[in-house]
Amino acid sequence: MSSAPTRRHRRSRAVLLATLTAALVAALLAGPGSTAHRADAAPAAFTHPGVTVSEGQLDFVRAKVDAGAQPWKGAFDQMMASRYADLNRTPKPRAVVECGSYSNPNYGCTDEREDAIAAYTNALAWYFTRDERYARKAIELMDAWSAVIRDHTNSNAPLQTGWAGSSWPKAAEIIKYTYGGTWANSGRFAGMLRDVYLPEIINGSNSNGNWELTMTEAAVGISVFLEDKASYDKAMAKFRTRTAAYVYLESDGALPRTVPSQNLDSRDKIVKYWQGQSTFVTGLTQETCRDFTHTGYGISSISHVAETSRIQGQDLYGTDVGERLRHALGFQAKYQQGAGAPSWLCGGDLDLGLGPVTEVGYNAMHNRLGFAMDNTQALTERTRPSGTNNLFVAWETLTHGDNPA
């Protein structure tokens, strides 16, 4: 008869069981498509430049532009002809940017957003041309605002901070990590992002979903530039919850998922929050029946955060984030392309105007992962080169169109 296991063997088995259990729990928490650690966790070391666009992507585009290849050359020419690439641009910083609903009042709102886009535009122009005048212009714009701004106020302050805060770190990443010249005030700019922008956006929003998605996009980008792992993790956790509550999948069940802090604890509350829409189908978003323009903001931020996460070494495209993004693009693109709305969808009346928001998600889900996306492909190719929405989206045919890097 065999003897009972020794205490050492029992302890070894207990340790093994605990290790396996921990690994299983970690895998379940990470979800499908996860790698060695959670797909929404900060990397051990941040990659730079690494906010929405990587150095490999920039190098791919630079070679295509130099070769005169399309659609990149046409997209580059579009960017360079825009007011955002004007080397004579004068920044218009304010100590306090006050933005009410729909930017009314508008005290510095447009100026701040557009100066941030201009900084990013000039950073791209520097990278593709290696003309130092553009790098210095990007620095001039960033320095002007970091020397002055102290606060955002009024009802649209969180959204305004998210819009401008999405563009600033994209510009700063390219300049700090690819320009060999001097940026003496880079520390002051980092302080601006840390002290003025991040506190306004890091705790999210219980407004319409595009608010929190844009705010978390900015928080993620700022966290990469600051190499702030704690704020990166916090922003990503909010992003995962909000994305699941913004785009419906049939697998969610009879009703869409919700953000717990919003207390949408009944069908009636959810339907009201979803703009009165009571029939839920895969790809529908929380704002589809509001209008496609705001829906486009939300979809764009989902794609931007997923792209930043990919550059940082994790894969959100392989999780439900990618599935929701793919279906949201396809659903909206179908109707943006001209399909008639059935009576059960927004009462048969859609307010179109999706905007230049398809390139990043289409490139990731179709070109990289191989999903058929006929409606999104047709819309993307028809509207190339995509320009800017003058808020926080700019030049994505140039940076992400059919970009394998």
Side-chain angles (χ1 to χ4, degrees), residues 244 246-257 274 280-284 319-328:
Y246 194 71
V247 182
Y248 176 81
L249 296 178
E250 185 178 356
S251 57
D252 293 336
L255 294 171
R257 297 189 187 183
W274 282 61
F280 302 103
V281 296
T282 291
L284 182 79
T319 70
D320 75 297
V321 170
E323 187 178 5
R324 293 178 196 277
L325 174 60
R326 175 168 64 92
H327 286 295

Side-chain angles (χ1 to χ4, degrees), residues 277-291:
Q277 177 68 15
S278 58
T279 301
F280 302 103
V281 296
T282 291
L284 182 79
T285 82
Q286 181 256 316
E287 294 186 276
T288 297
C289 294
R290 180 188 184 187
D291 59 62

Side-chain angles (χ1 to χ4, degrees), residues 196-394:
V196 179
Y197 286 78
L198 198 56
E200 186 71 42
I201 55 180
I202 191 62
N203 292 316
S205 166
N206 287 323
S207 185
N208 281 299
N210 81 87
W211 275 52
E212 187 160 85
L213 288 166
T214 300
M215 291 163 68
T216 53
E217 175 189 343
V220 166
I222 289 169
S223 298
V224 171
F225 183 72
L226 298 178
E227 298 196 324
D228 185 336
K229 294 183 179 182
S231 63
Y232 184 96
D233 285 349
K234 183 174 183 178
M236 276 293 188
K238 287 191 174 295
F239 171 76
R240 292 296 297 270
T241 300
R242 177 60 73 174
T243 299
Y246 194 71
V247 182
Y248 176 81
L249 296 178
E250 185 178 356
S251 57
D252 293 336
L255 294 171
R257 297 189 187 183
T258 62
V259 174
S261 60
Q262 292 189 268
N263 299 311
L264 300 174
D265 52 7
S266 71
R267 179 180 176 83
D268 287 347
K269 289 181 181 179
I270 292 172
V271 168
K272 181 179 180 181
Y273 184 61
W274 282 61
Q275 323 296 326
Q277 177 68 15
S278 58
T279 301
F280 302 103
V281 296
T282 291
L284 182 79
T285 82
Q286 181 256 316
E287 294 186 276
T288 297
C289 294
R290 180 188 184 187
D291 59 62
F292 273 32
T293 300
H294 287 89
T295 297
Y297 300 164
I299 290 173
S300 182
S301 286
I302 292 171
S303 68
H304 292 168
V305 175
E307 191 72 357
T308 296
S309 177
R310 183 190 71 88
I311 294 166
Q312 295 306 323
Q314 293 83 37
D315 177 20
L316 288 181
Y317 290 122
T319 70
D320 75 297
V321 170
E323 187 178 5
R324 293 178 196 277
L325 174 60
R326 175 168 64 92
H327 286 295
L329 284 168
F331 187 87
Q332 268 62 221
K334 174 183 176 180
Y335 297 105
Q336 186 67 40
Q337 282 282 88
S343 60
W344 58 262
L345 177 61
C346 313
D349 184 18
L350 297 175
D351 187 352
L352 303 179
L354 191 61
V357 303
T358 64
E359 289 279 15
V360 177
Y362 171 70
N363 186 56
M365 301 306 297
H366 175 73
N367 291 334
R368 290 201 198 105
L369 297 183
F371 288 100
M373 298 176 69
D374 294 346
N375 291 321
T376 307
Q377 180 174 1
L379 178 61
T380 300
E381 293 178 350
R382 178 172 67 82
T383 55
R384 281 179 172 171
S386 65
T388 175
N389 68 358
N390 302 310
L391 298 174
F392 69 106
V393 180

Side-chain angles (χ1 to χ4, degrees), residues 24 57 62 86 96 130-131 147 157 160 167 180 218 229 271 313 333 366:
L24 177 59
Q57 289 171 311
R62 186 180 179 210
D86 182 1
V96 177
R130 298 305 159 107
D131 184 335
Q160 171 71 20
S167 296
K229 294 183 179 182
V271 168
H366 175 73

Side-chain angles (χ1 to χ4, degrees), residues 114-125:
E114 296 195 353
D115 277 350
I117 291 174
Y120 176 52
T121 301
N122 279 279
L124 290 173

